[in-house]
Amino acid sequence: MPKPTPTSAGDYTAIFAARLDALKTEGRYRVFADIERLAGQFPRALYRPAPDAAPVDVTVWCSNDYLGQGQDASVMAAMQDIIARTGTGAGGTRNISGNSHELVELERDLAAWHEKEAALTFTSGFVANEAALSVLAKQLPDCIVFSDAANHASMIAGIRNSRAEYHVFRHNDVAHLRELLAAAPADRPKLVAFESVYSMDGDIAPIAAICDAAADFGALTYLDEVHAVGLYGPTGAGIAEREGLSHRLDVIQGTLGKAFGLMGGYIAGSNLLVDFVRSFAPGFIFTTALPPVIAAGARASLKSLIAATELRRRHQANAARLKELMAEAGLPVLASESHIVPLMVGNAEACREAAKRLLERHKIYVQPINFPTVPRGTERLRFTPTPYHDEALMQALVTALREVWRELFLPLAA
Ligand SMILES: *Cc1c(COP(=O)(O)O)cnc(C)c1O
């Protein structure tokens, strides 16, 4: 391989190498597994230890395709059908190439699902958060943002990029939020940004109490339901739907990349608010729209998710069962109130080593979660059992975990 040539300004490769080495020393260099998903056999997949190595059969335990929608027959058929009719790409930004009809329909479906007037799609959930939050916080004159301490990187990026004043309230701590709101000038616009299901601890926000606080101080509410859409509520529209609170949120944000099994993101809200974001967000205007094939897939996935009551029941039952099995085995599982099953390790190096052994010796794929995704000292393995992880798979997982915990002298539950 040719070596990059240093420019006249100096040799940058040394800087890149030093920074990467530092990450490795700290044990937080990220390695991505080479995984080939197999439609019809979820959660089985093929893993290749090296690009040319023979593939190994593994069970995936950390997918955010929570209900296996990525292989749903109706979604796959809808996508094949629309490719045959409309081809592949969107043809450009919506500004230049117009709205593909499928996307117009998808936005209408998403708005109705969340009991909102309008919805707007983006190329990912990250882009939706970054674009919408930065526009709202920047374009509302003198806006102050109140952000939960555990908010996702995409929300933090949007808030920071707005350059608006912001305050971080302690995670799910409504009293602290109220204190901060009360300390802010009454006449300035305010925005409270938070999530429903937090994806690392699997805990759930006190949405009603946060909406009460926001209402008392005249603040807009922005809820990221990325880990809840498709999974909670009678039609799967999320925790806000489950708790009958959709009408109290100014913005509900979601992804098409997790329970929908595709990719893309969106916000739902009033006509005016959505038009405001559409009109002022560079991250919406200056980028190619989602292709019709994704929109058609998302519409089919939404239709199937709305009816997926039985899948949702099995999803929750399997998550509860796995937590029970882990607790019985003395493993330090967090008693989350959602479908997310965090197993605490508390050390970056040990966390990566545990994941490596699970994959190489037990054919179990779970990604280690290290800083900065979670605070240092709370490194963990994060399991996301789906309706397709049956009792036998769960038993095999717990047996393998016991073995790895013993070999690495990892702490058991107190
Ligand atoms: C994954 C995630 C996002 C980003 O969604 P993508 O569609 O994957 O870009 C936003 N918020 C939270 C809480 C997430 O976990």
Side-chain angles (χ1 to χ4, degrees), residues 2 25 72 123 302 414:
T25 311
D72 183 273
T123 42
L302 177 54

Side-chain angles (χ1 to χ4, degrees), residues 88-270:
T88 54
T93 69
R94 291 167 74 161
N95 202 29
I96 300 284
S97 300
N99 290 334
S100 75
H101 181 66
E102 266 323 296
L103 211 47
V104 173
E105 294 285 346
L106 171 63
E107 287 174 345
R108 210 153 59 179
D109 293 350
L110 289 169
W113 193 40
H114 287 296
E115 304 164 74
K116 297 291 175 198
E117 288 174 353
L120 191 68
T121 53
F122 298 80
T123 42
S124 75
F126 189 108
V127 173
N129 272 337
E130 198 284 325
L133 281 169
S134 64
V135 163
L136 291 168
K138 184 180 194 161
Q139 304 288 346
L140 286 169
D142 232 8
C143 182
I144 309 180
V145 183
F146 300 84
S147 173
D148 187 286
N151 274 347
H152 188 258
S154 55
M155 284 203 269
I156 297 168
I159 293 164
R160 290 213 177 124
N161 290 348
S162 76
R163 299 181 190 207
E165 177 181 332
Y166 70 92
H167 300 277
V168 175
F169 59 96
R170 287 189 294 270
H171 177 53
N172 279 350
D173 186 338
V174 183
H176 189 215
L177 169 62
R178 280 187 173 273
E179 231 174 82
L180 294 172
L181 283 164
D187 58 349
R188 284 176 65 181
K190 299 178 186 69
L191 173 66
V192 178
F194 61 115
E195 301 180 22
S196 57
V197 174
Y198 285 87
S199 70
M200 291 303 145
D201 285 353
D203 55 340
I204 295 175
I207 300 178
I210 290 176
C211 288
D212 289 344
D216 288 349
F217 293 92
L220 288 172
T221 48
Y222 185 107
L223 179 65
D224 174 323
E225 288 248 47
V226 158
H227 292 278
V229 292
L231 308 178
Y232 295 88
T235 71
I239 301 285
E241 183 197 32
R242 182 182 82 178
E243 299 182 1
L245 296 169
S246 301
H247 63 287
R248 299 202 60 195
L249 293 147
D250 295 293
V251 179
I252 294 178
Q253 180 268 356
T255 183
L256 306 175
K258 290 168 182 165
F260 274 79
L262 294 151
M263 72 171 297
Y266 63 90
I267 59 165
S270 70

Side-chain angles (χ1 to χ4, degrees), residues 345 350 357 401-412:
V345 179
R357 283 181 189 226
L401 284 169
R402 283 287 305 190
E403 198 176 309
V404 168
W405 246 244
R406 201 166 41 238
E407 288 166 358
L408 298 179
F409 304 102
L410 294 176
L412 291 172

Side-chain angles (χ1 to χ4, degrees), residues 357-378:
R357 283 181 189 226
L358 286 168
L359 183 57
E360 288 173 1
R361 303 191 188 172
H362 302 278
K363 301 188 166 54
I364 285 167
Y365 171 50
V366 63
Q367 194 66 10
I369 311 274
N370 287 346
F371 179 83
T373 309
V374 293
R376 283 195 175 88
T378 73

Side-chain angles (χ1 to χ4, degrees), residues 7 10 43 84 86 125 154 185 268 312 342 362 373 379:
T7 69
T86 72
S154 55
R312 278 189 282 278
H362 302 278
T373 309
E379 291 82 1

Side-chain angles (χ1 to χ4, degrees), residues 293-379:
V293 60
I294 294 288
R299 290 187 70 204
S301 192
L302 177 54
K303 200 168 158 212
S304 128
L305 286 171
I306 287 172
T309 314
E310 174 55 18
L311 270 188
R312 278 189 282 278
R313 192 197 59 73
R314 274 167 50 203
H315 182 222
Q316 293 299 321
N318 284 359
R321 177 66 180 146
L322 182 60
K323 282 181 253 184
E324 182 180 72
L325 286 172
M326 285 182 176
E328 279 169 15
L331 293 162
V333 59
L334 272 195
S336 77
E337 24 172 350
S338 69
H339 59 283
I340 288 160
V341 182
L343 186 59
M344 305 311 281
V345 179
N347 171 291
E349 193 49 56
C351 195
R352 200 190 359 284
E353 182 59 25
K356 186 164 174 267
R357 283 181 189 226
L358 286 168
L359 183 57
E360 288 173 1
R361 303 191 188 172
H362 302 278
K363 301 188 166 54
I364 285 167
Y365 171 50
V366 63
Q367 194 66 10
I369 311 274
N370 287 346
F371 179 83
T373 309
V374 293
R376 283 195 175 88
T378 73
E379 291 82 1

